Each structure stands twice: as structure tokens, then as C-alpha cells.
Amino acid sequence: MWNRRLGRLRTVGCGVEELRRRRREREAELRKARREQQLVSKRLLRDDTPEEAEGGCAALILGEAEIQQFLWLAQRGTGEKERVGALVSLRRGLQHPETQQTFIRLKGSMRTLVGLLTSNQALLQLEAARCLHELSHSEQSAVAEACLPATSYLLTYLAGHSSDLIELCLYTLGNLIVESESVRRQLLPQGIVPAMASCIQSPHLTVLEALGYALSQLLQAKEASKKIIPSVLSTPLPQHMLRLLQPGPKLNPGVAVEFAWCLHYIICSQVNNALLITHGAVSTLGLLLLYLAGAVQRAEDTGLELKQPSLLPEGLWLLNNLTANNPGFCTSLLSLDLIEPLLQLLPVSNVVSVLVLTVLCNVAEKGPAYCWRLWPGPLLPSLLDMLAFSDTEVVGQSLELLQLLFLYRPEAVQAFLQQSGLQALKRHEEEAQLQDRVHALQQTALHG
């Protein structure tokens, strides 16, 4: 239960520091869940030709003899069509884990496939890359490690001219990166970070989206904070990532979400967030949220769905990570007048509401000077609207923000009473997860 200290709200054994700790633990659990979801989400590109799709050619499990035959035909077939066709058949067989295991056990099979990858015939090269891509999608780490001889070539082709091949190489590398530490140990000295820094200047959106995926896989590695992120920060990658999050007609939601994940991992590492500020991270995110808030309003006015639904939570996660432990970022947020645009995002969804409220709690918990910027203003009416929600997480985060506001701006209590705040609290009195906080706020409102 909460009591008063110096006439202000506090919790018995659960003060502001304790609430902050609880919120950080809750966020850590959410981040872990998000990270684990991302880790198992390998990407698989399959673009079967109409002939394959209509032919009903079910992919068959291949034995050693069949694999050897297809590899032989791919090397020595009488024409390009026969050679490419052999690799198509092999690729379809490699969709089965049993064929994958047989392939990596077969002596010389990977060496032959890598040789075909280096072919000067574009179609043959692309089909060999597709075979490697099927292998990279395997859930068995031994299969990923068997692909090690191909990594230097995959990196080399990132500097090529075929956007299709570059996209395929990036997704393949991303799949291999997440599966095996030995793959990452080999790729770093081979120059994967500089190669990615060159790729990010590609004009092709498919390449950029694939790059965002591969880079996010690299950045979430357990050794990333020591061995990978410092290297990434020393390149132009952060500036380009932020550029790709800038709002406007060229903003591509798919690309932006991938690079939002990348920035999420960099910010969480706390390696050098000050560098991101110098590159304009807060202003970029602020402008992005302003743009998305406008998009929300336009969608409401026209009755259309929001076109960037996944970009909103990612942008808010980044803002949350930046403001969690850094008063400087909170000051930047206030100086950019982002409070009202953030409040405009509250009705979008429960997930967005919780993230917006968490960001505002990050600001409020920095003390009285920050709360002076939060109230008077539209914050209190917005919080009262949130108390009408039935979602426990949304209401709980609203109560926490009210607690901080009452602690640092006691004048807000009277406004709360005048706007029927007690009635809003009353509907949550019987909810087990909320009743202690509800009761404490009621006592504060009534007795100061």
C-alpha cells in the first residue's frame, strides 16, 4: 500500500526507484520475448517459376546418387537450360531436412556448389545461391556451419550489380549469422561490416530491406556489444539507418522497420548512444512520430487503415530505449515539443498506448523540472481517457504516470478532481492487479 511522505505520494517499500526497477524488469522481459521471436524468424525467399508452381512438382527427398547426378549435370550438362534445371531440382530437394543432411555428408558436394556459385553464367550462379539459401534456412546448426566455405563469396557478391543476387546473399548471410557463432567469427575479419556499409547506399528497396534483416541478426549476437557494434558505429551505417527512418514520401515501412530493429539493438547495448544523438537520432525519431501522428489523424479522418502499423511500435521502442536512463534525451524530446504528438498516438492500439505511456513515464521520473513541461497541458485529459480502457497494462501504466505527476506536480491533483478523476479510478477498484495503486491515488486525491 502507498503512504504519504512530506505530503506527497509514495509507496511503502515501493518508491519511485522501485517502480522504475519494476518497469525496467518488465521491459527486459518484453525485449527478451521480442529478441527470441526475431531470432527464430529466419527468412526464406522462394520464387518458383510459374512452370514449377503449375506443374505440381512436389519436392522429393533426394538420396546421395540423385544429389551427385544433379551436381554432375549442373557442372557438365549439355546446355545452360539443362545445367540450371539440375540446380532447380537440387534446390527443391534441399527444402527437406533429410536431403540437407545427406548433402552436407556427401564428400565434395559443398565444394561443387561453391564452384557453381562462382560461375560466370548469371542464371547458374543465381540458382546455386538459391541452393545455399535453402541450406541457410535449416534449423540444424551443422548445416549452417557446412556453408562456411561459401561466406567469402556471398560477401564478394554484395558489391555486384545484380540486385536479385545481392538480396539473396544478404538473406542467406542473415540466416547463417544467427545460427552459428563460428560463422560470425569468420565473417567479421572477412569484412562483413564494411560490405554492409556499402550496401546501405543501394537504390533498391529489396536490397535495403534484406540488409536491415542481415544487420539486425548480426547486432543481436551475444558478442555484439564488444566485437560488432563498435565496428558498426565507426562506419556511416548509423547515419544511413537514421536517414532511412526520415519521414516523407520516400519512407518505406518495410525498410524502416528493419533498421528500427537495428537501432534498437545498438541503443540497448549502451555502447555509444551519445554518438547517435550527434547524428540526430532524437530529432529523426521525433519527426517520424510527428509524421505518423499525422498519418493516424488522416486515417481517422478518411476512415482508411494506417499504412505503417508496424513502424509505430518500433519507433516508440527506440524512443523508450533512448529516454529510459538519459535525461539529455528526455530534454531533447521536450525541446522538440513531442509530448502532444505522442498523446495523439494513444488511441491507435493497446500496444502503442503502453509504449507512449512508458516514454512519458521515462520523462516524468526525471523530476519536477520535467513534470513542469508535462502539466498543465493535454496530458491529464489524455490520462483520464486511458482510465476508461479495460486493458490492465494500459491502465497500470496510466496510474504510474499519474503517480509521478502527483509526486512532482501536486497542483495536478486538484485538476484531476475537477475532471472527475475519482470516478475514473472507481471502475478499477476491484481489479487485483490495479487496486493498490488505485487506492493510493484515491487517498492522495482526497487527503493530499
Side-chain angles (χ1 to χ4, degrees), residues 312-313 316 342-361 382-383 385-386 389 391 393-395 397-398 401:
L312 258 178
L316 288 165
L342 282 170
L343 294 175
Q344 290 173 24
L345 298 175
L346 285 172
V348 172
S349 70
N350 289 341
V351 170
V352 167
S353 295
V354 170
L355 287 169
V356 168
L357 292 165
T358 303
V359 170
L360 294 173
C361 282
S382 296
L383 288 177
D385 289 341
M386 291 296 100
F389 278 46
D391 184 84
E393 196 74 16
V394 172
V395 175
Q397 203 72 352
S398 301
L401 185 50

Side-chain angles (χ1 to χ4, degrees), residues 396-415:
Q397 203 72 352
S398 301
L399 294 172
E400 184 172 332
L401 185 50
L402 280 169
Q403 180 222 355
L404 291 166
L405 188 63
F406 291 174
L407 177 66
Y408 294 123
R409 290 300 311 271
E411 302 90 341
V413 173
Q414 190 60 37

